[in-house]
Amino acid sequence: MSNQLAVDRDAAVEDGVVRVLHPLRMREGSTGEGDGPGSYVGVAIDVETTGLDANTGKIIELALRRFRYDRNGVITDIDEAHEWHEDPGEPLTPEIQALTGITGAVLEGREIDEEAATRLLRSASFVVAHNSLFDRRWVENRLPGARGLNWCCSMSQVDWKARSFDGKVLGYLLVQAGYYHCGHRASADVDAMIQILRHRDSDDRTALAEMIERGAQPGWIVRAKGADFGVKDLLKGRGYRWSSDDKVWWREIEDARLVEEQFWLAGHVYSMDANPKAICPDLERVTARTRFL
């Protein structure tokens, strides 16, 4: 029976029915790709925290790894991994312990090397996290010397659907790329991020190249100030997100789509029939230095 199972498994793999996943082992040094060593430096970062609110919570684990890339967005070299733990001075909730596998005993008396972490972040052209809208606030609250850097996001600034992926969650992207890792630990997520940024589409273009191009373009944060509760489903369907801090629906728009978006809002959110509490949205110009805040 076991021999038959092995035969069936091997046949399924050969026919493409089953994909074999490989453990992700990020190795320091040259990747053997691109025009190496690359002339440009990026740094991937991830944090584990005591909760979801960056204003009241604390970082308990911070990991980062620098990498070099060439002008085509190909990662040519991977630097050593850096990881720190920090005692939050309060007990971790059972939910956070279960999610991360981190306990109070691991954190007791530990702290982030603020000088070293800041120096590494400032040595790169940009910082990338898989959800920079979450990570950036935590990092800048804890490391004030690293404020005002260029940030990119491997989740929102890559069109993963166009690359034939079914979602944007980091672990799932990695699985579809043929790997698995120990998720919800900062260092593992950093390595997973670097790996998916190496992904090439049908035109041989890396996800990193796509992300950098999109991240370098300025845009507009459009806040649907004064929108009536009755249009929330329209806004959500349009791609707007609810900000619990500002109590407003918002989204980022590229320059070329700003006028189109203003016309849409005028007809659906700020018309008399929509019962608006304002006459127009708030607009804020954003760049890589100000995005995700």
Side-chain angles (χ1 to χ4, degrees):
M1 181 66 177
S2 59
N3 289 337
Q4 183 61 48
L5 286 173
V7 170
D8 291 344
R9 179 201 61 196
D10 293 342
V13 170
E14 185 175 341
D15 291 341
V17 178
V18 173
R19 168 176 285 182
V20 176
L21 299 182
H22 303 280
L24 178 62
R25 297 188 178 98
M26 189 64 63
R27 295 176 180 174
E28 178 184 342
S30 172
T31 64
E33 297 182 290
D35 301 326
S39 302
Y40 311 98
V41 178
V43 59
I45 193 168
D46 189 71
V47 298
E48 299 298 335
T49 64
T50 58
L52 299 177
D53 189 344
N55 295 318
T56 59
K58 296 179 181 179
I59 293 177
I60 56 176
E61 186 175 61
L62 182 149
L64 60 86
R65 192 193 281 265
R66 301 194 324 159
F67 56 88
R68 288 190 173 273
Y69 61 98
D70 64 19
R71 61 183 179 178
N72 296 316
V74 176
I75 295 177
T76 62
D77 296 87
I78 298 171
D79 205 344
E80 64 181 303
H82 299 271
E83 181 180 77
W84 297 274
H85 293 96
E86 184 153 273
D87 190 338
E90 59 190 44
L92 299 181
T93 66
E95 292 78 13
I96 294 298
Q97 292 188 60
L99 180 67
T100 65
I102 299 173
T103 65
V106 171
L107 302 176
E108 187 175 359
R110 307 286 292 277
E111 64 179 14
I112 294 169
D113 187 335
E114 183 174 340
E115 181 180 352
T118 300
R119 182 177 65 254
L120 287 164
L121 290 170
R122 296 190 67 86
S123 69
S125 300
F126 65 87
V127 182
V128 55
H130 193 63
N131 184 2
S132 292
L133 193 60
F134 178 84
D135 291 70
R136 180 166 190 174
R137 294 185 182 186
W138 290 90
V139 171
E140 294 198 354
N141 284 350
R142 178 61 185 84
L143 304 173
R147 291 174 183 168
L149 303 179
N150 293 316
W151 277 72
C152 291
C153 180
S154 58
M155 180 173 66
S156 64
Q157 292 179 319
V158 177
D159 189 345
W160 292 109
K161 184 176 181 180
R163 290 173 175 268
S164 300
F165 288 86
D166 295 331
K168 296 182 177 181
V169 176
L170 182 58
Y172 197 66
L173 290 172
L174 192 67
V175 165
Q176 284 201 279
Y179 298 90
Y180 66 90
H181 77 317
C182 177
H184 298 299
R185 291 302 300 265
S187 58
D189 285 346
V190 162
D191 288 352
M193 196 188 329
I194 293 173
Q195 184 62 36
I196 63 169
L197 287 173
R198 298 171 67 187
H199 179 266
R200 296 174 184 261
D201 62 15
S202 58
D203 295 323
D204 207 35
R205 189 185 189 209
T206 67
L208 175 64
E210 179 183 344
M211 183 190 73
I212 290 173
E213 180 180 351
R214 293 181 65 180
Q217 297 173 357
W220 294 90
I221 296 295
V222 180
R223 297 184 177 90
K225 177 186 66 175
D228 185 73
F229 180 80
V231 299
K232 67 178 180 65
D233 290 335
L234 284 175
L235 287 166
K236 188 174 181 180
R238 184 73 174 179
Y240 282 77
R241 302 175 61 172
W242 176 252
S243 170
S244 57
D245 291 337
D246 301 326
K247 302 294 188 291
V248 69
W249 289 93
W250 70 276
R251 70 176 300 193
E252 183 177 338
I253 294 294
E254 300 170 0
D255 277 0
R257 295 186 55 196
L258 179 60
V259 173
E260 173 192 344
E261 195 66 19
Q262 289 174 306
F263 272 108
W264 184 88
L265 288 167
H268 294 84
V269 177
Y270 295 107
S271 67
M272 292 300 294
D273 293 339
N275 300 314
K277 309 301 186 296
I279 61 173
C280 63
D282 281 339
L283 302 177
E284 178 187 351
R285 189 65 160 165
V286 290
T287 67
R289 290 189 181 276
T290 61
R291 197 173 273 128
F292 309 121
L293 288 174

